[in-house]
Amino acid sequence: MILAIPDVLTGDALATARAKIESATWIDGKATAGHQGARVKDNQQLATDDPAGREVGAQIVAALQKNPLFVSAALPLHILPPMFNRYSGGQTFGTHVDGSIRTLPDGRRIRTDLSCTLFFAEPDEYEGGELIIEDTYGTKSVKLPAGHLILYPSTSLHSVTPVTRGTRLCSFFWLQSMIRDDARRALLFEMDVGIQRIAADSPGHPGVVQLTGVYHNLLRQWAEI
Ligand code: NI
């Protein structure tokens, strides 16, 4: 499932966060690429220990933990600290798959089930820079307004098209979900959305309690925590 999460950051919080990362120290993105990625990766990043990156990263995670759409769709168990990249002057990231295992700051290893990209620049500020995601339903081209996030399976092949004008500025990160399987996670999400709709239309309908029970009992059967 590929899902856009609107308005993760908005207004002053978005503007302040963007200013902080724009004025931080940018390094060659190849520094953090694996041997597959280094061949096709041409961008800039903030170092993982950059103070501005850490601060804004914590702000992003805090915002996501309070975002009902994100929590319902991702069912996150561990979220890696957000990283930041930018592309300009024709920079691009060719087709690749993200590494399957990454390490949390405390040394624990996590499985990357879902990849996230949070956009910091508005689409009309740059030319190109689409995130191209290949999944089982075909190829999707993604370029979202500033403050919006795209959530997609880490199993997908993906790329970033060359940025030929302006600068594409994003945060990117991974998470391990309580539900490893994308199809099961999508079923739970659809069910949650359906329950919320019925509850909104018919408050107090006894079927809502029954379906909520089914939701939690499926989660109980499938969750790995
Ligand atoms: Ni990637």
Side-chain angles (χ1 to χ4, degrees):
M1 184 175 66
I2 299 175
L3 186 72
I5 313 282
D7 298 326
V8 172
L9 294 179
T10 56
D12 288 348
L14 173 63
T16 307
R18 178 175 176 170
K20 280 180 189 158
I21 52 176
E22 276 180 334
S23 59
T25 304
W26 291 84
I27 59 173
D28 188 345
K30 282 195 193 334
T32 56
H35 67 275
Q36 171 218 221
R39 285 178 41 240
V40 291
K41 184 176 186 182
D42 178 21
N43 65 6
Q44 288 191 307
Q45 284 182 195
L46 295 189
T48 51
D49 61 353
D50 183 278
R54 284 193 167 186
E55 188 188 338
V56 175
Q59 186 186 349
I60 293 169
V61 172
L64 288 172
Q65 282 166 341
K66 288 187 290 189
N67 186 304
L69 181 63
F70 173 81
V71 171
S72 176
L75 294 169
L77 179 62
H78 300 296
I79 303 177
L80 279 152
M83 297 167 70
F84 299 85
N85 61 18
R86 70 179 183 187
Y87 297 74
S88 58
Q91 286 183 315
T92 181
F93 197 163
T95 303
H96 65 282
V97 69
D98 294 337
S100 51
I101 306 291
R102 298 192 73 95
T103 307
L104 290 166
D106 66 8
R108 279 180 298 161
R109 283 174 291 183
I110 73 158
R111 187 184 64 236
T112 56
D113 293 321
L114 287 165
S115 300
C116 305
T117 297
L118 174 63
F119 291 78
F120 274 96
E122 296 293 352
D124 62 2
E125 291 182 68
Y126 58 100
E127 207 73 53
E130 287 85 4
L131 174 64
I132 307 294
I133 304 166
E134 298 173 27
D135 82 353
T136 47
Y137 299 108
T139 298
K140 195 168 171 69
S141 173
V142 179
K143 189 170 179 175
L144 298 179
H148 294 212
L149 176 143
I150 191 79
L151 188 65
Y152 62 100
S154 302
T155 49
S156 319
L157 290 176
H158 56 276
S159 59
V160 176
T161 64
V163 174
T164 54
R165 176 183 64 82
T167 300
R168 178 193 196 266
L169 183 65
C170 285
S171 174
F172 65 101
F173 51 98
W174 299 272
L175 65 91
Q176 180 171 329
S177 175
M178 291 187 281
I179 305 295
R180 175 201 294 242
D181 182 68
D182 192 58
R184 286 181 173 179
R185 199 184 318 109
L187 284 172
L188 287 170
F189 176 63
E190 290 296 325
M191 188 167 196
D192 191 23
V193 171
I195 291 169
Q196 306 286 343
R197 281 187 177 165
I198 298 168
D201 274 7
S202 309
H205 193 293
V208 170
V209 176
Q210 203 166 10
L211 287 172
T212 303
V214 174
Y215 174 88
H216 278 285
N217 288 329
L218 283 173
L219 187 57
R220 209 185 314 277
Q221 291 213 15
W222 293 343
E224 299 169 50
I225 53 175

